[in-house]
Amino acid sequence: DNVRILHQVLKAVLSSFRFLSTRSMASKTPVGFIGLGNMGSPMAKNLLKNGYPVIATDVFPQSCKELQDTGAQVVDSPADVAEKADRIITMLPSSPNVIEVYTGPNGILKKVKKGTLLIDSSTIDPAVSREMAVAAEKKGAVFMDAPVSGGVGAASMAKLTFMVGGVVEEYNAAKELLTCMGANVIYCGQVGTGQAAKICNNMLLAIGMIGTAETMNLGIRLGLDPKLLAKILNMSSGRCWSSDTYNPVPGVMEGVPSANNYQGGFGTTLMAKDLGLAQNTATNTKTPVPLGSLAHQIYRVMCSRGYANKDFSSVFQFLREEDGQ
């Protein structure tokens, strides 16, 4: 009798293992990835590292080749991705790119399958996110916005923060993929609220960076050692992320763009774009953002003065040049 009971227990255990393994296998169905730039490429690599087959495309063949070498399948267009995958992530530079990739002649929605989950991690106008969600819904697909914070370093180390907007019932399905690429996944509400959170964060980030750069420049002009001034700020009430984690003054910190002639990091052009989005949404909602508007103008001027491809912390260098230093 004992032997029979033991046999039945073993059988039950084995069948549950089989059930679990088929379920985990099912969850590792291919994931589409469109947009393999500075952020998209490391994000897609982290999906591959987590055992997800990736079907990818990008307008630049070189970006595709690099990902292909790490095991991804590369196809010609977003429509081809939609044909082969029912979970697709997009990471694109701006609103027009997103509109083209989703609704263009070779766009995702040309061949999207019913029930497909579409996650857009681009930073775009919340109104465009809402438009894409409506267009996707007409094709029986689900669109969610999930912009990121953390930059290229966090993308490589899978430590991004995702701000997610969309129908709450689909949040867990999105979270399964996003946790492979990020340390924090936060549900913000309906479609477009992820973008809203991202835009608000970046407006504050720009204002804080300009304030830190002005403060450091003034202190240096007054004869203070920049490292000492940074140390004092970081133990005082003026402390902020730009002063203690991403200081804009060369020589104060290692491993940040200011230590490398402002190469890498988060480009001035992208910051100007995000501040433009903040400006548009502020105008549409009649919200006063005087410092946000000034920050937008400063970063736009920087773009026309040779800082477009430098990290946004190069505002320190820009201010030094403005005062003739």
Side-chain angles (χ1 to χ4, degrees):
D1 270 4
N2 285 348
V3 172
R4 201 169 72 248
I5 290 164
L6 191 63
H7 183 67
Q8 284 171 335
V9 167
L10 273 169
K11 225 167 111 178
V13 168
L14 281 169
S15 70
S16 71
F17 266 130
R18 240 192 326 271
F19 173 69
L20 282 169
S21 66
T22 51
R23 271 194 57 184
S24 64
M25 283 300 289
S27 73
K28 296 287 168 87
T29 53
V31 177
F33 208 106
I34 301 165
L36 305 170
N38 290 341
M39 295 293 289
S41 186
M43 287 166 68
K45 282 175 188 168
N46 282 324
L47 284 171
L48 285 165
K49 277 180 202 164
N50 279 275
Y52 290 93
V54 171
I55 297 162
T57 194
D58 189 274
V59 288
F60 295 106
Q62 187 50 45
S63 304
C64 293
K65 168 126 184 43
E66 194 192 320
L67 199 70
Q68 199 169 19
D69 292 345
T70 56
Q73 181 189 345
V74 170
V75 294
D76 290 336
S77 71
D80 293 340
V81 174
E83 211 170 14
K84 293 173 184 286
D86 59 9
R87 293 181 292 180
I88 301 169
I89 297 162
T90 50
M91 185 47 140
L92 303 156
S94 63
S95 297
N97 303 115
V98 170
I99 293 166
E100 175 70 17
V101 161
Y102 278 89
T103 64
N106 291 312
I108 291 168
L109 297 182
K110 276 278 177 280
K111 291 191 179 172
V112 74
K113 292 180 270 194
K114 272 194 168 55
T116 296
L117 177 61
L118 305 166
I119 303 169
D120 181 39
S121 287
S122 321
T123 298
I124 59 169
D125 191 315
V128 173
S129 294
R130 289 192 289 271
E131 277 172 39
M132 293 305 101
V134 170
E137 198 179 355
K138 284 178 185 165
K139 298 278 187 175
V142 177
F143 177 96
M144 302 184 90
D145 59 307
V148 302
S149 178
V152 177
S156 299
M157 295 184 290
K159 295 215 170 139
L160 292 167
T161 293
F162 287 91
M163 294 151 267
V164 185
V167 287
V168 71
E169 293 81 10
E170 297 291 339
Y171 172 62
N172 283 334
K175 192 176 179 182
E176 180 202 328
L177 296 177
L178 300 180
T179 47
C180 298
M181 303 177 286
N184 305 298
V185 182
I186 298 152
Y187 181 68
C188 299
Q190 63 191 20
V191 171
T193 54
Q195 298 295 352
K198 169 71 191 275
I199 290 165
C200 290
N201 177 74
N202 279 20
M203 184 172 80
L204 181 58
L205 175 61
I207 293 166
M209 181 56 79
I210 294 167
T212 301
E214 287 184 4
T215 299
M216 293 297 295
N217 191 32
L218 177 62
I220 292 163
R221 290 283 293 272
L222 292 170
L224 285 164
D225 173 75
K227 276 191 175 176
L228 176 71
L229 177 55
K231 185 180 172 184
I232 292 165
L233 292 174
N234 293 337
M235 55 175 70
S236 306
S237 54
R239 182 183 68 81
C240 65
W241 188 83
S242 296
S243 70
D244 74 358
T245 305
Y246 210 81
N247 199 286
V249 180
V252 168
M253 290 181 76
E254 287 176 18
V256 291
S258 62
N260 186 33
N261 196 28
Y262 301 104
Q263 298 307 304
F266 184 59
T268 295
T269 307
L270 289 172
M271 181 53 93
K273 180 207 85 175
D274 288 1
L275 289 166
L277 293 172
Q279 192 64 61
N280 291 345
T281 52
T283 303
N284 295 339
T285 55
K286 298 184 171 59
T287 308
V289 288
L291 291 181
S293 300
L294 275 174
H296 184 215
Q297 295 310 318
I298 288 168
Y299 278 104
R300 284 180 65 192
V301 171
M302 283 174 68
C303 287
S304 66
R305 299 268 185 92
Y307 290 88
N309 297 320
K310 293 196 170 195
D311 179 73
F312 81 107
S313 62
S314 63
V315 66
F316 172 77
Q317 195 179 25
F318 171 73
L319 293 170
R320 297 279 281 178
E321 283 180 8
E322 287 300 290
D323 69 16
Q325 287 296 299

Short mmCIF file of all heavy atoms in Angstrom, two decimals, residues 249-296:
data_model
loop_
_atom_site.label_atom_id
_atom_site.label_comp_id
_atom_site.label_asym_id
_atom_site.label_seq_id
_atom_site.Cartn_x
_atom_site.Cartn_y
_atom_site.Cartn_z
N VAL A 249 30.37 69.18 -13.11
CA VAL A 249 31.69 69.83 -13.15
C VAL A 249 32.78 68.78 -13.38
O VAL A 249 32.91 67.84 -12.59
CB VAL A 249 31.97 70.62 -11.85
CG1 VAL A 249 33.33 71.29 -11.92
CG2 VAL A 249 30.87 71.64 -11.62
N PRO A 250 33.59 68.94 -14.44
CA PRO A 250 34.68 67.99 -14.68
C PRO A 250 35.61 67.90 -13.47
O PRO A 250 35.95 68.90 -12.86
CB PRO A 250 35.42 68.59 -15.89
CG PRO A 250 34.39 69.44 -16.57
CD PRO A 250 33.52 69.98 -15.49
N GLY A 251 35.97 66.66 -13.11
CA GLY A 251 36.91 66.46 -12.01
C GLY A 251 36.28 66.25 -10.65
O GLY A 251 36.96 65.87 -9.70
N VAL A 252 34.99 66.49 -10.53
CA VAL A 252 34.33 66.32 -9.22
C VAL A 252 33.98 64.85 -8.97
O VAL A 252 34.14 64.34 -7.87
CB VAL A 252 33.07 67.22 -9.12
CG1 VAL A 252 32.22 66.85 -7.90
CG2 VAL A 252 33.48 68.68 -9.03
N MET A 253 33.50 64.17 -10.00
CA MET A 253 33.10 62.77 -9.87
C MET A 253 33.69 61.94 -11.01
O MET A 253 33.92 62.47 -12.11
CB MET A 253 31.57 62.64 -9.95
CG MET A 253 30.83 63.18 -8.78
SD MET A 253 29.05 62.94 -8.99
CE MET A 253 28.92 61.20 -8.63
N GLU A 254 33.90 60.65 -10.74
CA GLU A 254 34.32 59.73 -11.80
C GLU A 254 33.11 58.97 -12.34
O GLU A 254 32.09 58.88 -11.67
CB GLU A 254 35.34 58.73 -11.25
CG GLU A 254 36.71 59.35 -10.99
CD GLU A 254 37.69 58.36 -10.37
OE1 GLU A 254 37.42 57.14 -10.46
OE2 GLU A 254 38.68 58.81 -9.79
N GLY A 255 33.25 58.48 -13.56
CA GLY A 255 32.20 57.62 -14.12
C GLY A 255 30.94 58.34 -14.55
O GLY A 255 29.89 57.72 -14.70
N VAL A 256 31.02 59.65 -14.72
CA VAL A 256 29.87 60.43 -15.22
C VAL A 256 30.32 61.17 -16.49
O VAL A 256 31.52 61.36 -16.71
CB VAL A 256 29.35 61.43 -14.16
CG1 VAL A 256 28.71 60.71 -12.99
CG2 VAL A 256 30.46 62.37 -13.67
N PRO A 257 29.37 61.62 -17.33
CA PRO A 257 29.77 62.28 -18.58
C PRO A 257 30.70 63.49 -18.41
O PRO A 257 31.58 63.71 -19.24
CB PRO A 257 28.44 62.69 -19.19
CG PRO A 257 27.50 61.63 -18.73
CD PRO A 257 27.92 61.35 -17.31
N SER A 258 30.56 64.24 -17.30
CA SER A 258 31.44 65.41 -17.11
C SER A 258 32.90 65.00 -16.96
O SER A 258 33.81 65.80 -17.20
CB SER A 258 30.99 66.25 -15.90
OG SER A 258 31.07 65.48 -14.71
N ALA A 259 33.14 63.74 -16.60
CA ALA A 259 34.51 63.24 -16.47
C ALA A 259 35.06 62.76 -17.82
O ALA A 259 36.22 62.38 -17.93
CB ALA A 259 34.55 62.09 -15.47
N ASN A 260 34.19 62.77 -18.84
CA ASN A 260 34.58 62.23 -20.15
C ASN A 260 34.18 63.19 -21.27
O ASN A 260 33.62 62.79 -22.29
CB ASN A 260 33.90 60.86 -20.33
CG ASN A 260 34.35 60.16 -21.60
OD1 ASN A 260 35.50 60.29 -22.03
ND2 ASN A 260 33.44 59.40 -22.22
N ASN A 261 34.48 64.48 -21.04
CA ASN A 261 34.14 65.53 -22.03
C ASN A 261 32.67 65.50 -22.45
O ASN A 261 32.32 65.78 -23.59
CB ASN A 261 35.06 65.40 -23.27
CG ASN A 261 35.03 66.66 -24.12
OD1 ASN A 261 34.79 67.75 -23.61
ND2 ASN A 261 35.24 66.50 -25.41
N TYR A 262 31.81 65.13 -21.50
CA TYR A 262 30.35 65.11 -21.69
C TYR A 262 29.90 64.16 -22.80
O TYR A 262 28.87 64.36 -23.44
CB TYR A 262 29.81 66.53 -21.95
CG TYR A 262 30.11 67.48 -20.81
CD1 TYR A 262 31.12 68.44 -20.92
CD2 TYR A 262 29.42 67.40 -19.61
CE1 TYR A 262 31.42 69.29 -19.87
CE2 TYR A 262 29.71 68.25 -18.54
CZ TYR A 262 30.71 69.19 -18.68
OH TYR A 262 31.02 70.04 -17.64
N GLN A 263 30.68 63.09 -23.01
CA GLN A 263 30.28 62.06 -23.98
C GLN A 263 29.37 61.05 -23.29
O GLN A 263 29.48 60.82 -22.10
CB GLN A 263 31.52 61.34 -24.53
CG GLN A 263 32.49 62.23 -25.29
CD GLN A 263 31.83 63.02 -26.41
OE1 GLN A 263 31.20 62.45 -27.29
NE2 GLN A 263 31.94 64.34 -26.35
N GLY A 264 28.49 60.41 -24.09
CA GLY A 264 27.57 59.40 -23.55
C GLY A 264 26.46 60.06 -22.74
O GLY A 264 26.20 61.25 -22.84
N GLY A 265 25.80 59.27 -21.93
CA GLY A 265 24.74 59.79 -21.06
C GLY A 265 23.47 60.14 -21.83
O GLY A 265 23.09 59.47 -22.78
N PHE A 266 22.83 61.24 -21.41
CA PHE A 266 21.54 61.67 -21.98
C PHE A 266 21.76 62.96 -22.76
O PHE A 266 22.05 64.00 -22.18
CB PHE A 266 20.53 61.85 -20.84
CG PHE A 266 19.14 62.19 -21.30
CD1 PHE A 266 18.44 61.34 -22.13
CD2 PHE A 266 18.52 63.37 -20.88
CE1 PHE A 266 17.15 61.65 -22.55
CE2 PHE A 266 17.24 63.68 -21.28
CZ PHE A 266 16.55 62.82 -22.13
N GLY A 267 21.62 62.87 -24.09
CA GLY A 267 21.99 63.98 -24.97
C GLY A 267 21.15 65.24 -24.77
O GLY A 267 19.97 65.18 -24.42
N THR A 268 21.79 66.37 -25.03
CA THR A 268 21.14 67.69 -24.95
C THR A 268 19.93 67.76 -25.89
O THR A 268 18.89 68.32 -25.53
CB THR A 268 22.16 68.79 -25.28
OG1 THR A 268 23.17 68.77 -24.26
CG2 THR A 268 21.54 70.16 -25.33
N THR A 269 20.05 67.16 -27.09
CA THR A 269 18.92 67.17 -28.05
C THR A 269 17.71 66.47 -27.45
O THR A 269 16.58 66.97 -27.59
CB THR A 269 19.32 66.43 -29.35
OG1 THR A 269 20.53 67.00 -29.83
CG2 THR A 269 18.26 66.54 -30.41
N LEU A 270 17.94 65.33 -26.79
CA LEU A 270 16.83 64.58 -26.20
C LEU A 270 16.20 65.35 -25.04
O LEU A 270 14.99 65.35 -24.87
CB LEU A 270 17.29 63.20 -25.75
CG LEU A 270 17.60 62.22 -26.89
CD1 LEU A 270 18.24 60.95 -26.34
CD2 LEU A 270 16.35 61.87 -27.68
N MET A 271 17.04 66.02 -24.25
CA MET A 271 16.50 66.82 -23.14
C MET A 271 15.66 67.97 -23.69
O MET A 271 14.56 68.25 -23.18
CB MET A 271 17.62 67.34 -22.25
CG MET A 271 17.11 68.17 -21.07
SD MET A 271 15.85 67.31 -20.07
CE MET A 271 16.87 66.56 -18.81
N ALA A 272 16.15 68.60 -24.75
CA ALA A 272 15.38 69.70 -25.37
C ALA A 272 14.03 69.17 -25.88
O ALA A 272 12.99 69.82 -25.73
CB ALA A 272 16.17 70.33 -26.51
N LYS A 273 14.06 67.96 -26.47
CA LYS A 273 12.81 67.35 -26.97
C LYS A 273 11.83 67.10 -25.83
O LYS A 273 10.65 67.45 -25.92
CB LYS A 273 13.14 66.03 -27.67
CG LYS A 273 11.92 65.31 -28.24
CD LYS A 273 12.10 63.81 -28.33
CE LYS A 273 11.76 63.12 -27.04
NZ LYS A 273 11.80 61.65 -27.10
N ASP A 274 12.32 66.53 -24.72
CA ASP A 274 11.44 66.22 -23.58
C ASP A 274 10.87 67.49 -22.95
O ASP A 274 9.72 67.53 -22.53
CB ASP A 274 12.20 65.40 -22.53
CG ASP A 274 12.44 63.97 -22.99
OD1 ASP A 274 12.04 63.63 -24.13
OD2 ASP A 274 13.03 63.18 -22.23
N LEU A 275 11.70 68.54 -22.91
CA LEU A 275 11.22 69.81 -22.37
C LEU A 275 10.18 70.44 -23.30
O LEU A 275 9.25 71.12 -22.85
CB LEU A 275 12.40 70.77 -22.15
CG LEU A 275 13.31 70.39 -20.98
CD1 LEU A 275 14.61 71.17 -21.04
CD2 LEU A 275 12.61 70.61 -19.64
N GLY A 276 10.33 70.18 -24.61
CA GLY A 276 9.32 70.63 -25.57
C GLY A 276 7.99 69.93 -25.32
O GLY A 276 6.92 70.56 -25.38
N LEU A 277 8.05 68.63 -25.00
CA LEU A 277 6.83 67.89 -24.67
C LEU A 277 6.18 68.45 -23.40
O LEU A 277 4.96 68.61 -23.33
CB LEU A 277 7.14 66.40 -24.46
CG LEU A 277 7.61 65.61 -25.69
CD1 LEU A 277 8.06 64.21 -25.28
CD2 LEU A 277 6.49 65.52 -26.74
N ALA A 278 7.02 68.76 -22.42
CA ALA A 278 6.50 69.35 -21.16
C ALA A 278 5.83 70.69 -21.46
O ALA A 278 4.76 71.00 -20.92
CB ALA A 278 7.64 69.53 -20.16
N GLN A 279 6.47 71.49 -22.32
CA GLN A 279 5.93 72.80 -22.70
C GLN A 279 4.57 72.66 -23.38
O GLN A 279 3.62 73.37 -23.05
CB GLN A 279 6.94 73.46 -23.66
CG GLN A 279 6.68 74.92 -23.92
CD GLN A 279 6.82 75.76 -22.67
OE1 GLN A 279 7.87 75.83 -22.08
NE2 GLN A 279 5.75 76.42 -22.26
N ASN A 280 4.48 71.70 -24.33
CA ASN A 280 3.21 71.48 -25.04
C ASN A 280 2.09 71.07 -24.09
O ASN A 280 0.98 71.60 -24.16
CB ASN A 280 3.37 70.36 -26.09
CG ASN A 280 4.27 70.78 -27.23
OD1 ASN A 280 4.56 71.95 -27.39
ND2 ASN A 280 4.72 69.81 -28.01
N THR A 281 2.41 70.12 -23.19
CA THR A 281 1.37 69.64 -22.28
C THR A 281 0.99 70.74 -21.28
O THR A 281 -0.17 70.85 -20.90
CB THR A 281 1.82 68.37 -21.52
OG1 THR A 281 3.10 68.61 -20.92
CG2 THR A 281 1.97 67.19 -22.46
N ALA A 282 1.97 71.57 -20.88
CA ALA A 282 1.67 72.69 -19.97
C ALA A 282 0.75 73.70 -20.65
O ALA A 282 -0.20 74.21 -20.05
CB ALA A 282 2.96 73.36 -19.52
N THR A 283 1.02 73.96 -21.93
CA THR A 283 0.17 74.90 -22.69
C THR A 283 -1.25 74.34 -22.82
O THR A 283 -2.23 75.04 -22.58
CB THR A 283 0.77 75.15 -24.10
OG1 THR A 283 2.10 75.63 -23.95
CG2 THR A 283 -0.04 76.16 -24.89
N ASN A 284 -1.33 73.06 -23.16
CA ASN A 284 -2.65 72.42 -23.35
C ASN A 284 -3.47 72.38 -22.07
O ASN A 284 -4.70 72.42 -22.12
CB ASN A 284 -2.49 70.99 -23.89
CG ASN A 284 -1.89 70.98 -25.28
OD1 ASN A 284 -1.95 71.99 -25.99
ND2 ASN A 284 -1.30 69.86 -25.69
N THR A 285 -2.80 72.27 -20.93
CA THR A 285 -3.53 72.19 -19.65
C THR A 285 -3.53 73.52 -18.90
O THR A 285 -3.96 73.58 -17.74
CB THR A 285 -2.90 71.09 -18.75
OG1 THR A 285 -1.50 71.37 -18.60
CG2 THR A 285 -3.06 69.71 -19.34
N LYS A 286 -3.02 74.57 -19.58
CA LYS A 286 -2.96 75.93 -18.98
C LYS A 286 -2.23 75.91 -17.63
O LYS A 286 -2.69 76.51 -16.65
CB LYS A 286 -4.36 76.52 -18.84
CG LYS A 286 -5.08 76.70 -20.17
CD LYS A 286 -6.42 77.38 -20.00
CE LYS A 286 -7.05 77.76 -21.32
NZ LYS A 286 -7.30 76.65 -22.24
N THR A 287 -1.10 75.18 -17.59
CA THR A 287 -0.32 75.06 -16.36
C THR A 287 0.90 75.97 -16.43
O THR A 287 1.68 75.87 -17.38
CB THR A 287 0.16 73.60 -16.19
OG1 THR A 287 -0.96 72.73 -16.30
CG2 THR A 287 0.83 73.39 -14.85
N PRO A 288 1.08 76.87 -15.45
CA PRO A 288 2.27 77.73 -15.49
C PRO A 288 3.55 76.94 -15.16
O PRO A 288 3.61 76.28 -14.13
CB PRO A 288 1.98 78.79 -14.41
CG PRO A 288 0.99 78.17 -13.50
CD PRO A 288 0.23 77.14 -14.29
N VAL A 289 4.54 76.98 -16.06
CA VAL A 289 5.82 76.32 -15.80
C VAL A 289 6.97 77.28 -16.17
O VAL A 289 7.74 77.01 -17.10
CB VAL A 289 5.95 74.97 -16.58
CG1 VAL A 289 5.06 73.90 -15.98
CG2 VAL A 289 5.64 75.14 -18.07
N PRO A 290 7.09 78.39 -15.42
CA PRO A 290 8.11 79.39 -15.81
C PRO A 290 9.53 78.83 -15.86
O PRO A 290 10.27 79.11 -16.81
CB PRO A 290 7.96 80.49 -14.76
CG PRO A 290 7.12 79.92 -13.67
CD PRO A 290 6.30 78.84 -14.26
N LEU A 291 9.94 78.04 -14.87
CA LEU A 291 11.30 77.49 -14.88
C LEU A 291 11.45 76.40 -15.94
O LEU A 291 12.50 76.29 -16.59
CB LEU A 291 11.69 76.95 -13.50
CG LEU A 291 11.89 78.01 -12.40
CD1 LEU A 291 12.29 77.34 -11.09
CD2 LEU A 291 12.95 79.03 -12.80
N GLY A 292 10.40 75.62 -16.13
CA GLY A 292 10.42 74.61 -17.19
C GLY A 292 10.59 75.25 -18.56
O GLY A 292 11.35 74.76 -19.41
N SER A 293 9.91 76.38 -18.78
CA SER A 293 10.01 77.10 -20.06
C SER A 293 11.42 77.65 -20.26
O SER A 293 11.98 77.57 -21.36
CB SER A 293 9.01 78.26 -20.10
OG SER A 293 7.70 77.76 -19.97
N LEU A 294 12.00 78.22 -19.20
CA LEU A 294 13.38 78.74 -19.29
C LEU A 294 14.37 77.61 -19.58
O LEU A 294 15.27 77.76 -20.41
CB LEU A 294 13.77 79.44 -17.99
CG LEU A 294 13.36 80.91 -17.85
CD1 LEU A 294 13.69 81.41 -16.45
CD2 LEU A 294 14.09 81.77 -18.88
N ALA A 295 14.18 76.48 -18.90
CA ALA A 295 15.06 75.33 -19.13
C ALA A 295 14.98 74.88 -20.59
O ALA A 295 16.00 74.59 -21.23
CB ALA A 295 14.68 74.18 -18.20
N HIS A 296 13.76 74.87 -21.13
CA HIS A 296 13.56 74.50 -22.53
C HIS A 296 14.35 75.43 -23.46
O HIS A 296 15.06 74.97 -24.37
CB HIS A 296 12.05 74.57 -22.86
CG HIS A 296 11.71 74.12 -24.25
ND1 HIS A 296 10.69 74.69 -24.98
CD2 HIS A 296 12.27 73.18 -25.05
CE1 HIS A 296 10.63 74.09 -26.17
NE2 HIS A 296 11.57 73.17 -26.23
#
